[in-house]
Amino acid sequence: SCFRLLCSLLIPALFLSGILCICLVVLLWGIRLWIQQRKKQLNSAGKDGKQPLLVAFFHPYCNAGGGGERVLWCAIRTLQKKYRNVRCVVYTGDRDATGEEIIEGAFRRFNIKLIHPVKFVFLEKRYLVEASLYPHFTLLGQSLGSVILGWEALLKCVPDIYIDSMGFAFTLPLFKYLGGCGVGCYVHYPTVSTEMLSVVRNQDTRFNNAAFITNSPLVSKLKLVYYYFFAFLYGLVGSCSDVVMVNSSWTLNHILALWRAGACTSVVYPPCDVQAFLDIPLEEEKSITEHSIVSISQFRPEKDHPLQIRAFAKLLKEKRLGQQPPAKLVLIGGCRNQQDEERVQGLKCLCEELGVSEDVMFRINIPFEELKRHLGKATIGLHTMWNEHFGIGVVECMASGTVILAHNSGGPKLDIVVPYEGHPTGFLAEDEESYAELMDFILSLAPEKRLEIRQSARRSAHRFSEQHFEEAFLLSVEPLFK
């Protein structure tokens, strides 16, 4: 009788589910038609009477002044050079600045001058994508928040082509299926990666995997289930994209594994301002009184400055030969907020603890010209972030003519610190011991040998110039303009 009851309920349940699905499809189709109608009302014709092609970039923090913003402004300038009937739009949450101030900031920070004006659509709900709003389930919270922010953007301006240039993949289906847009994205860093899954699976304590989680097998398993569920959703929304651009081979491997959109995915290296560093003279070192080891990176936890200090202390204590000139470590970076400043204080305490305070210099938020002066005097450029997705600072060190010592992972390993024309361009290390050993090895090399590596590294840095970015970017987005 129980079986008969279940069978009698099954048909009405299937029928009801079918009706609900049809209603949902009709509702979504109605919303799409309404948005298309809204598009006709909002978008005005150009001077020649023709409707310009609206290309919108979703970049809620476009006034931030980092590597992602350099990509944004270079991409817009590239489209303006190539296509005459294109009007570029930027969705931003930077309501504390005017459009003119944002453009002026881009010119001042990156020396990028746009050819035509850009329309800014200012969004009110940017707080929904801020990590601080979600102490737990941050990835899911930010992603769902980006959908609401994307809906606000879509209602304010309906473009023909939509490009997410900041990693908010959950907005892609919204613009594709409801907005009727061609959609593309530039991925700087996958929101979730197979490495993140392995960190949780192996119960490793890292900056994004707290000790209370690693100490509990049950909590670790629950977090792993959550990550797998999120990775499934992330793959689903990412596969909606018509064009996918990634910034490195490391990011490419993860995006291919998660999104499975190989046919429309390509590597477009970010535009590094290598030209600005090429005027630093590159000549054989004469009489060196002091070796300078320079690190360039924001004072964020993932950059792993403590590893740099510990390796440097090990070099001073155990490795360095008596006849070599003394060495100084110069940590150059930006502090974004109070947490970063507290992190710097912690690093200074670590220097005290290891007895290297006199040999470590901190230079915070310094002007560009001072950065160039430090790089011009440096023997070694140091980088320690595990799985850095690309590594603009690594490219800048190489373009400046330092001997780079980077982490043996991510973009530096796969794309940047690789042999060029058969010659080495730098060195890779993984832990305190190998960093100390390689610093000692580089400092003990003959000056002419170091010069060969520096020259090779500088030549290889041209692969990451703005010109190369423009060519690769245009080739990748071409399908959206057909």
Side-chain angles (χ1 to χ4, degrees):
S1 62
C2 187
F3 179 72
R4 275 202 303 274
L5 177 65
L6 285 172
C7 286
S8 65
L9 289 173
L10 183 62
I11 294 170
L14 287 172
F15 180 72
L16 189 62
S17 300
I19 293 290
L20 286 172
C21 284
I22 292 165
C23 289
L24 185 63
V25 169
V26 170
L27 176 66
L28 292 174
W29 188 253
I31 292 171
R32 180 180 166 121
L33 289 175
W34 174 68
I35 287 173
Q36 292 306 307
Q37 208 49 43
R38 190 176 173 82
K39 179 180 179 179
K40 287 176 187 171
Q41 292 166 1
L42 289 172
N43 299 349
S44 57
K47 291 175 185 175
D48 56 359
K50 287 182 182 176
Q51 200 78 17
L53 196 68
L54 275 190
V55 180
F57 290 82
F58 191 75
H59 208 104
Y61 295 88
C62 75
N63 204 28
E69 288 65 60
R70 170 176 276 283
V71 169
L72 170 71
W73 301 119
C74 274
I76 289 174
R77 185 182 62 184
T78 302
L79 290 181
Q80 289 180 343
K81 276 187 200 173
K82 169 78 174 175
Y83 298 102
R84 293 186 67 183
N85 195 38
V86 156
R87 190 177 178 204
C88 291
V89 176
V90 177
Y91 297 118
T92 179
D94 293 301
R95 293 187 299 144
D96 55 346
T98 64
E100 290 78 16
E101 285 169 344
I102 293 171
I103 294 292
E104 173 58 33
F107 178 65
R108 194 175 61 252
R109 292 184 190 112
F110 308 120
N111 197 30
I112 294 171
K113 195 167 181 62
L114 300 180
I115 300 161
H116 303 297
V118 168
K119 178 186 175 184
F120 289 93
V121 175
F122 291 94
L123 307 175
E124 294 168 24
K125 296 183 176 64
R126 187 176 73 177
Y127 64 90
L128 291 174
V129 298
E130 287 172 8
S132 56
L133 192 65
Y134 312 98
H136 307 292
F137 301 101
T138 311
L139 295 180
L140 192 59
Q142 284 182 291
S143 298
L144 295 176
S146 74
V147 175
I148 299 169
L149 189 64
W151 177 248
E152 182 194 345
L154 186 58
L155 289 184
K156 286 184 172 175
C157 175
V158 187
D160 298 295
I161 294 169
Y162 170 80
I163 298 174
D164 162 44
S165 51
M166 215 178 161
F168 292 110
F170 280 71
T171 61
L172 295 169
L174 187 71
F175 279 82
K176 182 167 185 171
Y177 299 117
L178 293 185
C181 314
V183 297
C185 58
Y186 188 96
V187 184
H188 296 273
Y189 199 90
T191 307
V192 66
S193 68
T194 50
E195 261 93 357
M196 287 165 72
L197 294 170
S198 70
V199 162
V200 179
R201 195 186 303 111
N202 300 333
Q203 292 180 244
D204 292 340
T205 303
R206 287 188 182 268
F207 72 92
N208 58 353
N209 197 40
F212 81 89
I213 294 172
T214 60
N215 293 337
S216 166
L218 177 63
V219 178
S220 285
K221 281 186 172 59
L222 289 173
K223 184 170 182 179
L224 193 60
V225 169
Y226 158 60
Y227 266 19
Y228 272 114
F229 170 68
F230 183 82
F232 169 74
L233 290 180
Y234 184 58
L236 216 57
V237 297
S239 63
C240 297
S241 195
D242 301 310
V243 164
V244 182
M245 292 166 279
V246 296
N247 66 342
S248 69
S249 302
W250 182 85
T251 309
L252 174 72
N253 294 336
H254 287 286
I255 289 298
L256 289 179
L258 293 162
W259 291 12
R260 304 187 187 282
C264 60
T265 305
S266 55
V267 176
V268 179
Y269 292 128
C272 303
D273 192 12
V274 293
Q275 202 59 42
F277 296 95
L278 294 179
D279 59 358
I280 295 174
L282 195 60
E283 52 200 30
E284 194 174 316
E285 306 148 14
K286 298 291 186 283
S287 55
I288 293 179
T289 53
E290 182 181 82
H291 283 299
S292 172
I293 300 167
V294 171
S295 156
I296 316 170
S297 55
Q298 284 185 320
F299 288 100
R300 304 204 309 254
E302 64 270 27
K303 298 297 183 181
D304 206 352
H305 288 91
L307 173 56
Q308 298 181 2
I309 294 166
R310 288 196 305 270
F312 179 69
K314 197 175 189 70
L315 170 77
L316 295 188
K317 188 180 175 185
E318 300 171 14
K319 302 287 176 184
R320 201 174 77 225
L321 303 171
Q323 66 266 31
Q324 286 183 7
K328 288 267 185 194
L329 176 62
V330 184
L331 301 178
I332 300 173
C335 278
R336 303 160 299 172
N337 48 39
Q338 194 182 339
Q339 286 94 333
D340 287 356
E341 285 163 17
E342 287 167 4
R343 200 167 288 116
V344 169
Q345 281 308 118
L347 294 171
K348 287 179 178 176
C349 290
L350 178 63
C351 291
E352 291 275 356
E353 192 185 307
L354 296 171
V356 293
S357 292
E358 296 297 311
D359 304 295
V360 180
M361 184 194 299
F362 289 83
R363 304 297 297 133
I364 297 156
N365 298 332
I366 62 172
F368 184 67
E369 286 307 313
E370 189 181 338
L371 167 69
K372 280 176 70 174
R373 278 199 301 276
H374 280 291
L375 284 170
K377 290 188 287 185
T379 306
I380 297 174
L382 194 60
H383 163 276
T384 46
M385 180 177 166
W386 173 73
N387 272 336
E388 172 86 82
H389 46 296
F390 179 69
I392 288 176
V394 175
V395 174
E396 289 174 346
C397 283
M398 289 165 69
S400 305
T402 68
V403 179
I404 190 70
L405 174 55
H407 199 283
N408 189 26
S409 63
K413 176 186 180 180
L414 296 173
D415 295 305
I416 306 173
V417 191
V418 294
Y420 185 72
E421 295 173 348
H423 301 287
T425 57
F427 299 89
L428 298 165
E430 288 178 11
D431 53 22
E432 196 179 311
E433 182 68 33
S434 57
Y435 269 101
E437 279 181 5
L438 280 165
M439 279 191 276
D440 180 52
F441 174 73
I442 294 164
L443 296 178
S444 63
L445 283 172
E448 59 270 17
K449 186 64 187 167
R450 271 201 298 268
L451 181 62
E452 283 175 23
I453 296 168
R454 292 161 64 209
Q455 287 170 334
S456 180
R458 177 173 270 192
R459 285 196 302 273
S460 79
H462 285 284
R463 295 173 294 147
F464 311 110
S465 66
E466 288 182 3
Q467 187 188 340
H468 277 79
F469 167 81
E470 289 182 1
E471 291 165 3
F473 179 78
L474 286 174
L475 203 61
S476 297
V477 298
E478 199 177 351
L480 294 174
F481 290 85
K482 286 178 177 174

